[in-house]
Structures are given as C-alpha cells and as structure tokens.
Amino acid sequence: MRENDRVTSATRQPESPAAALPPRLIATDLDGTLLRDDKSVSPRTVAALAAAEEAGIEVFFVTGRPARWMDVVSDHVHGHGLAICGNGAAVVDLHGGPGAHRFVKVRELARDNALDAVRLLRDAAPGTVYAVEQTYGFYQEPAYPKMHLEVPDTLAPAEELLAPDAPGADEPVLKILAFHPTLDPDGFLALARLAIGDRANVTRSSPSALLEISGPGVSKASTLALSCAERGISHSEVVAFGDMPNDVEMLTWAGRSYAMGNAHPDVIAAASGRTVANNEDGVAVVIERMLAERA
C-alpha cells in the first residue's frame, strides 16, 4: 500500500492535562539510541522492552534504517511486530524474520521530485554523490562511498538510476542518500534544505556529511502520527527517544520525549527530557522508571 498524503498533525499540540495520560506507545530510534555502539541490544534493554509490552505499552522501532537492516531487532518484536523504517518512508511487518518482512505502508519519493532534488543539490554543492534506496533494491553512483558491507544492485549516475526505464523502476523510491566528502554535516544539511525547498524532506542521522532525502512531508513523526491515529493513540500517550536530527520532529510531536546522553544539540533542544547515553542503556532506564511509577 502506497501512501503519499501529507500529515499536518505531526507537530506537538498545545499542552493540556491530557499530556499526563499514562503512556500507551514507546517510539524509539535504533542507532545511537536503543542500540549500543556495537549494534547490540543489551540484556537490560531486552528485558525493559518485554516488560513494557507485558504492561500493555506498544513498542515501535522508528529508524532511518532500511527494512533489510532490521535483523538487529527482529528477535525483539512483540505483538504487532511493526517498525517504521527509512525515516518514515515505510511501515514494515517484521514477523517473518530477516529477509521475509512485508511492507504494510509505503510513502514514496516521486521520481520527478527525486530528480529535482539531485539537480538542485548538485548545483548548490558540487561534488555531491548519490545512492537510491528502494523497497527492495539499493543503487548508487560509482563515486558513492562503500559505507556498509553491501553490494549495490547497479552502479550508474543518479539521473540514470531514477529514469523511468531504470533497473527497479517498478519499485517505489523510499529515499535518496546524498554524500559530500568535505562539507560540514550540519552545514550540508542546512544548504540542502535551502536548495531543495519543498520538493523533498531532507534530514540526517550519520556523523558524516550524509543526507537522507524523502518525499515531501515524510518523516518519522508524520508516519508515527499516522500509525498512532490508526490505533486511537494521541500524541500525549507517546514516549519517544532519539539522538540525531532525523529524530527532532518525532521528539517534538510526542507527549514525552527523551534525548540520549550522546545526542546532537538540536535533539537536546527538541526533547522534553534527557536520559543517559545509548551505551548506558538510556532507553531502558526511562522505561524501568516509567513502569515503576505505574506499579
């Protein structure tokens, strides 16, 4: 199912007594947040997630990762088994396990918008190189760095990868990755947002100058808002965790939100609270306290 509608409610609403409602859903980022730096989920965190589910609180993994990289948490899904991947571009059912996931919702980046973003950013930041993330395929330009142990399906200029007759043209584009070898990461993000405007949503989650470009209005926050609305869950009943700029909108939207001890300054400014770093199980610390308060 493809979904391109913009979600205008993914902003924090005025605070009210409802903001004190008991949490019904935990939304947590993965890298730098739930996962330790070695990409493991600690036994303490596993126990905290299970305890939350046992208490009737749904847990959603909300990540920039593609669905094929979700094996790191596939053993820890409970109940609904859903995760929000690609910075909100897809809702994925992880029940099938690694390699057998099912796309429940896709909010694609139209190829015309993608081509515009590529052109506008090339003009604004010469030297930018691209990769294209689709539902099942991954394609990149020859100069795009090998950041992960992954072999691209095709090597070609971005304009060819996004052409109507490109390999995988029948698959939705989830996001474009844009890398610059020399620019400051935050400066590159600001430049790209100015250059691309409303043609796409631009964010970042990497410590390097690597940007993630999604469809207009597509973000972790907007897709989480959709998923919560389908469950009759208000923003005031959501507790969110994150560490990087791609988490800012989600943390702003949620009734309660926590920046990790290792978080980017923009995340600290956006969140309503702070916890300790990911390597110190900061998500588990908050969940444990939250459940103790309910007892």
Side-chain angles (χ1 to χ4, degrees):
M1 173 171 142
R2 298 191 187 184
E3 173 61 70
N4 289 315
D5 293 340
R6 296 193 184 195
V7 177
T8 57
S9 61
T11 55
R12 181 171 291 170
Q13 305 299 315
E15 295 300 331
S16 69
L21 289 172
R24 292 178 58 194
L25 187 142
I26 292 167
T28 178
D29 173 51
L30 294 182
D31 297 281
T33 300
L34 188 80
L35 305 181
R36 291 189 168 187
D37 287 348
D38 64 3
K39 306 306 178 186
S40 68
V41 185
S42 74
R44 181 180 182 181
T45 297
V46 170
L49 296 176
E53 293 276 2
E54 181 67 23
I57 304 171
E58 291 192 71
V59 176
F60 262 65
F61 301 125
V62 187
T63 178
R65 286 180 173 231
R68 65 182 179 278
W69 289 3
M70 294 300 289
D71 57 308
V72 69
V73 291
S74 60
D75 290 339
H76 310 299
V77 296
H78 304 271
H80 58 80
L82 300 178
I84 294 172
C85 298
N87 290 327
V91 179
V92 181
D93 185 344
L94 301 180
H95 273 139
H101 52 262
R102 179 175 65 89
F103 285 89
V104 176
K105 186 189 298 290
V106 172
R107 306 182 67 203
E108 67 185 290
L109 171 61
R111 287 175 182 261
D112 286 347
N113 290 58
L115 285 166
D116 283 348
V118 166
R119 174 180 55 80
L120 292 166
L121 191 52
R122 277 204 205 280
D123 290 345
T128 301
V129 290
Y130 297 94
V132 178
E133 185 77 62
Q134 297 183 209
T135 43
Y136 293 100
F138 179 77
Y139 310 88
Q140 69 178 60
E141 294 189 319
Y144 186 84
K146 292 183 178 180
M147 297 184 178
H148 309 286
L149 298 176
E150 182 165 34
V151 178
D153 297 283
T154 302
L155 291 172
E159 292 80 0
E160 293 182 19
L161 298 174
L162 294 165
D165 59 348
D170 56 337
E171 285 183 39
V173 174
L174 299 184
K175 65 180 180 179
I176 299 172
L177 300 168
F179 176 80
H180 200 282
T182 60
L183 290 178
D184 168 77
D186 286 331
F188 189 31
L189 176 59
L191 177 66
R193 285 176 168 170
L194 182 63
I196 294 172
D198 63 2
R199 299 298 293 158
N201 188 52
V202 187
T203 190
R204 77 178 189 88
S205 61
S206 170
S208 64
L210 176 65
L211 305 182
E212 299 164 69
I213 303 172
S214 305
V218 175
S219 68
K220 289 185 175 186
S222 61
T223 302
L224 178 61
L226 281 171
S227 298
C228 287
E230 292 168 355
R231 288 161 173 73
I233 296 174
S234 73
H235 81 103
S236 299
E237 298 170 299
V238 177
V239 179
F241 299 87
D243 73 304
M244 286 296 282
N246 63 330
D247 297 313
V248 165
E249 293 139 306
M250 177 175 74
L251 298 180
T252 303
W253 176 79
R256 276 191 276 173
S257 58
Y258 293 87
M260 307 305 292
N262 49 290
H264 186 281
D266 290 352
V267 174
I268 295 170
S272 59
R274 293 191 69 178
T275 185
V276 295
N278 62 316
N279 286 333
E280 300 173 75
D281 301 326
V283 173
V285 168
V286 173
I287 293 176
E288 291 164 356
R289 184 171 68 241
M290 199 165 58
L291 295 178
E293 292 170 353
R294 289 164 57 103

